[in-house]
Amino acid sequence: GMLCCALLPVLEGLMGANGCGGEGFCYFLWVVVRIVEGLVQATGWTCTVAIMGNWFPQEGRGFIMGLWATNSNVGDIFGLHVSSLLLDNVGWYVILWVLAGLMI
């Protein structure tokens, strides 16, 4: 599931590179890809919670889950800075490929 979260932005980048920018039929294609991406992310998070819950004792589980949940915020900040650096130099779709590569 989480691998698909990294591969779907690659697909989005390919769509953008081929001129599918969100008008007409491309709009519906983007919506479908985003829905699939949301479903895949949802399956990844529930599995992660179950695995983390089994690995750690109940006493320290809240602290560990808090640390784990923070990684999405750190990733958002990191991704924002990487995207900002690349935005002036490459096409927007290349940013999706770079960030997907970092996720893998």
Side-chain angles (χ1 to χ4, degrees), residues 24-92:
F25 175 74
C26 288
Y27 175 79
F28 295 106
L29 189 57
W30 278 98
V31 168
V32 169
V33 170
R34 285 297 183 163
I35 288 171
V36 170
E37 192 169 4
L39 291 172
V40 169
Q41 288 176 1
T43 62
W45 177 249
T46 54
C47 295
T48 301
V49 171
I51 291 170
M52 297 289 278
N54 289 332
W55 280 357
F56 296 99
Q58 190 172 4
E59 301 84 44
R61 193 176 299 158
F63 176 74
I64 297 296
M65 290 302 294
L67 286 177
W68 182 256
T70 304
N71 75 30
S72 66
N73 298 330
V74 173
D76 286 343
I77 293 168
F78 181 73
L80 174 68
H81 289 295
V82 171
S83 299
S84 297
L85 291 172
L86 292 173
L87 192 56
D88 291 334
N89 301 317
V90 297
W92 62 267

